[in-house]
Amino acid sequence: MLEMIPNSESPLLTERHGKIVVLRLNRPAVLNALNNQLMQLLVATCQELDADPNTGCMVLTGTDRAFAAGADIEELAVQKHLNMFQQGFFEPWDQFAALRTPIIAAVSGYALGGGCELAMMCDIIFAADNARFGQPEVKIGVTPGMGGSQRLTKLIGKSRAMDMILTGRMMHADEAERAGLAARVVPLDMLFSTALEAAQQIASYSKAVTMTAKEMVKQSEQTSLHNGVLFERRSYYALYGSDDQIEGMQAFMEKRPPVFQR
């Protein structure tokens, strides 16, 4: 049974199910637009969960209509260059992207601008069949500012990224899966259960191992194949002698389910 932290007025709702924590963006009147308050709350909450050994996986989601339709334009429209530069506007999102616990984005409806960028900061994107992804900032006189030009290009390639960023067009769920942006597309009514099932599987493993595996994959985006393989190998060696490595292999040989400690 899901345990919900009661506060329906909060822009972020949190549910715990064992080692899984579901984070639900909760600004439906503005299609979950990402303002500074929501950013700060989401980052702080996730950092706390990241440090908790009892949190094995997080699921980030929104509403059926919108994961997040972008940054809050009313908040952005009054900003000036010097103010944004001095405040390091959007920089807290780097802290979200640096989280080590696996995170699944369960996306339904619109994931546009900052919403698309937030989904891409997660480790896996599951999309409902009504999901729409896009970086339409060009339509309001700006560009992506939360990493969209970089992450989108790495995920779907230069030509597709240019197409989306320069035209502002939306990519439907099926195209997003073909392009490599979404891992799976499922019917809307199956999105949450699919994400929860995958999260339960991830959380059933050793957190030290899933964190290490996540680091390996992320390293591949930053380095050459030779250095990436070397990083993988050193990380693999480092797991040997841990309680969970010993338990996992012993359980396999004894033909029983492993009982991981962390």
Side-chain angles (χ1 to χ4, degrees), residues 122-193:
C122 299
D123 303 306
I124 305 171
I125 297 177
F126 289 168
D129 51 13
N130 75 332
R132 302 291 183 267
F133 299 89
Q135 298 291 161
E137 291 89 346
V138 67
K139 295 182 178 182
I140 58 169
V142 290
T143 62
M146 288 167 50
S149 65
Q150 306 304 300
R151 291 189 176 92
L152 189 63
T153 302
K154 289 181 182 298
L155 286 169
I156 69 174
K158 172 191 167 185
S159 186
R160 285 194 180 101
M162 285 286 195
D163 181 21
M164 291 182 69
I165 292 169
L166 294 180
T167 69
R169 79 174 183 90
M170 288 188 286
M171 179 180 280
H172 290 202
D174 288 343
E175 184 184 358
E177 183 182 33
R178 292 195 303 271
L181 178 57
R184 307 184 201 177
V185 176
V186 298
L188 175 60
D189 61 0
M190 293 179 59
L191 176 65
F192 186 72
S193 61

Side-chain angles (χ1 to χ4, degrees), residues 13 69 112 137 148 184 194 245:
L13 302 180
L112 305 177
E137 291 89 346
R184 307 184 201 177
T194 300
Q245 175 265 320

Side-chain angles (χ1 to χ4, degrees), residues 46-155:
C46 288
Q47 285 182 316
E48 182 178 344
L49 293 169
D50 197 41
D52 181 359
N54 292 315
T55 302
C57 189
M58 294 180 247
V59 176
L60 179 62
T61 193
T63 64
D64 288 354
R65 190 178 176 197
F67 175 75
D72 193 316
I73 304 305
E74 289 189 5
E75 186 176 78
L76 293 178
V78 298
Q79 300 297 326
K80 300 297 182 184
H81 167 264
L82 186 59
N83 181 54
M84 298 188 87
F85 178 73
Q86 289 177 331
Q87 287 187 12
F89 217 81
F90 291 153
E91 284 185 8
W93 289 121
D94 295 342
Q95 300 170 40
F96 181 89
L99 295 168
R100 302 175 69 198
T101 303
I103 306 174
I104 297 172
V107 176
S108 54
Y110 297 113
L112 305 177
C116 184
E117 290 168 306
L118 177 57
M120 290 190 292
M121 290 178 212
C122 299
D123 303 306
I124 305 171
I125 297 177
F126 289 168
D129 51 13
N130 75 332
R132 302 291 183 267
F133 299 89
Q135 298 291 161
E137 291 89 346
V138 67
K139 295 182 178 182
I140 58 169
V142 290
T143 62
M146 288 167 50
S149 65
Q150 306 304 300
R151 291 189 176 92
L152 189 63
T153 302
K154 289 181 182 298
L155 286 169

Side-chain angles (χ1 to χ4, degrees), residues 224-243:
S224 66
L225 176 61
H226 172 80
N227 289 335
V229 170
L230 183 61
F231 178 86
E232 175 188 277
R233 193 168 297 140
R234 294 288 187 261
S235 300
Y236 176 80
Y237 295 161
L239 295 170
Y240 275 76
S242 69
D243 292 342

